[in-house]
């Protein structure tokens, strides 16, 4: 199975793939207040797929929170 997977990835020019889990926590407020900084925190969790294909880095992330589910995709790196 590993040899078949490797041959399939090579046929598409994919050098590597990564599966990444993530959790983010934060808060947005109208002004900075140290006393309110850690109250009413919001959480986002998700999974991402990274690949190097034909010399480009390709990313796709799926994140979920109480506000909904979102997909974000990137091709290449900004720097």
């Amino acid at each position: 199975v590993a040899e078949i997977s490797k041959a399939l990835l090579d046929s598409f020019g994919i050098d590597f793939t990564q599966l990444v889990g993530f959790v983010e926590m934060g808060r947005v407020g109208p002004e900075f207040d140290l006393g309110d900084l850690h109250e009413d925190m919001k959480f986002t969790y998700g999974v991402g797929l990274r690949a190097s294909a034909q010399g480009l880095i390709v990313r796709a992330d799926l994140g979920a929170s109480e506000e909904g589910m979102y997909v974000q995709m990137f091709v290449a790196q900004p720097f």
Side-chain angles (χ1 to χ4, degrees), residues 2-3 8 11 17 37-38 41 44 47 49 62 73 77:
E3 292 175 11
L8 185 61
S11 69
T17 58
L37 185 62
H38 293 97
M41 301 293 271
T44 303
V47 64
L49 179 65
L62 173 66
M73 300 177 75
Q77 298 287 355

Side-chain angles (χ1 to χ4, degrees), residues 15-63:
D15 298 322
F16 72 85
T17 58
Q18 297 174 334
L19 185 63
V20 181
F22 63 87
V23 176
E24 297 179 330
M25 176 178 69
R27 177 184 172 162
V28 176
E31 59 189 44
F32 180 78
D33 184 350
L34 194 56
D36 292 337
L37 185 62
H38 293 97
E39 294 179 9
D40 195 27
M41 301 293 271
K42 307 294 183 197
F43 294 89
T44 303
Y45 54 92
V47 64
L49 179 65
R50 316 286 194 256
S52 173
Q54 304 285 332
L56 292 172
I57 302 295
V58 180
R59 296 175 40 186
D61 296 329
L62 173 66

Side-chain angles (χ1 to χ4, degrees), residues 1-15 17 54:
V1 175
E3 292 175 11
I4 294 171
S5 297
K6 175 91 171 107
L8 185 61
L9 292 176
D10 287 344
S11 69
F12 287 105
I14 298 175
D15 298 322
T17 58
Q54 304 285 332

